[in-house]
Amino acid sequence: IAGSVSLRARPGDSALTTFSTNELNYLNIPLALTYHFGGKKFHLFATAGAGLNLLTDQYLETGLKNYNYDEKESIATNLKSSYFNGMIGAGINYRPFKKVAFIFSPQYQFAITPMNENMPVKAYPRIFNLQLGMQIRL
């Protein structure tokens, strides 16, 4: 008797893996308020706001060991197509010349709503980023 078995890796499976690649891409549309204070050459600013994150692309690949195939490509299940995040930040703006400024700004983003649904554990991503830049007024 010949037959075939279809194996599909699921979250929580105990299959041995050789690698796993997970890529989720989101487009963030922010809305923020910024308050500036200080002098002409050197001033500080504070930022607070919210953003909408739209899922634009996803790619999952897992290599399974000791099965008839080596790789399994799939898409993530139970992901929402969008979620909301909040953001807070601060920064320093140094303007050594009239039309040139240097900016240093750390920012923290945190999910307000989960990025997944119908799961026992909700995923709330957090991101800390650091922005360094130069501003040139035309």
Side-chain angles (χ1 to χ4, degrees), residues 80-91:
K80 293 166 52 175
S81 61
S82 65
Y83 72 92
F84 289 98
N85 72 287
M87 67 181 104
I88 56 172

Side-chain angles (χ1 to χ4, degrees), residues 117-135:
E117 60 188 352
N118 302 323
M119 299 289 289
V121 177
K122 300 293 183 195
Y124 292 89
R126 295 176 297 225
I127 301 167
F128 177 78
N129 64 51
L130 186 59
Q131 300 172 16
L132 300 171
M134 184 171 75
Q135 181 182 51

Side-chain angles (χ1 to χ4, degrees), residues 25 68 96 132:
N25 294 308
N68 293 335
L132 300 171

Side-chain angles (χ1 to χ4, degrees), residues 103-107 109 129-133:
I103 301 168
F104 170 76
S105 176
Q107 187 180 81
Q109 296 181 7
N129 64 51
L130 186 59
Q131 300 172 16
L132 300 171

Side-chain angles (χ1 to χ4, degrees), residues 56-70:
T56 59
D57 191 26
Q58 59 178 310
Y59 175 77
L60 305 175
E61 185 178 10
T62 303
L64 299 175
K65 192 173 184 179
N66 297 329
Y67 293 100
N68 293 335
Y69 58 93
D70 293 326

Side-chain angles (χ1 to χ4, degrees), residues 6-138:
S6 175
L7 178 66
R8 186 176 180 100
R10 300 274 185 204
D13 281 352
S14 59
L16 297 175
T17 61
T18 56
F19 70 92
S20 180
T21 302
N22 306 310
E23 184 179 313
L24 299 174
N25 294 308
Y26 285 89
L27 171 66
N28 178 266
I29 303 171
L31 177 62
L33 297 174
T34 302
Y35 180 74
H36 294 265
F37 49 96
K40 279 188 167 186
K41 286 197 176 261
F42 182 79
H43 72 268
L44 305 172
F45 59 92
T47 303
L52 172 64
N53 296 280
L54 303 172
L55 181 63
T56 59
D57 191 26
Q58 59 178 310
Y59 175 77
L60 305 175
E61 185 178 10
T62 303
L64 299 175
K65 192 173 184 179
N66 297 329
Y67 293 100
N68 293 335
Y69 58 93
D70 293 326
E71 299 177 12
K72 174 67 178 161
E73 292 183 28
S74 183
I75 61 170
T77 57
N78 298 321
L79 278 180
K80 293 166 52 175
S81 61
S82 65
Y83 72 92
F84 289 98
N85 72 287
M87 67 181 104
I88 56 172
I92 300 169
N93 188 321
Y94 174 63
R95 185 175 307 282
F97 309 107
K98 186 176 182 178
K99 294 190 175 196
V100 176
F102 297 99
I103 301 168
F104 170 76
S105 176
Q107 187 180 81
Y108 178 65
Q109 296 181 7
F110 52 93
I112 296 171
T113 59
M115 66 186 288
N116 60 347
E117 60 188 352
N118 302 323
M119 299 289 289
V121 177
K122 300 293 183 195
Y124 292 89
R126 295 176 297 225
I127 301 167
F128 177 78
N129 64 51
L130 186 59
Q131 300 172 16
L132 300 171
M134 184 171 75
Q135 181 182 51
I136 300 173
R137 291 187 180 193
L138 302 175

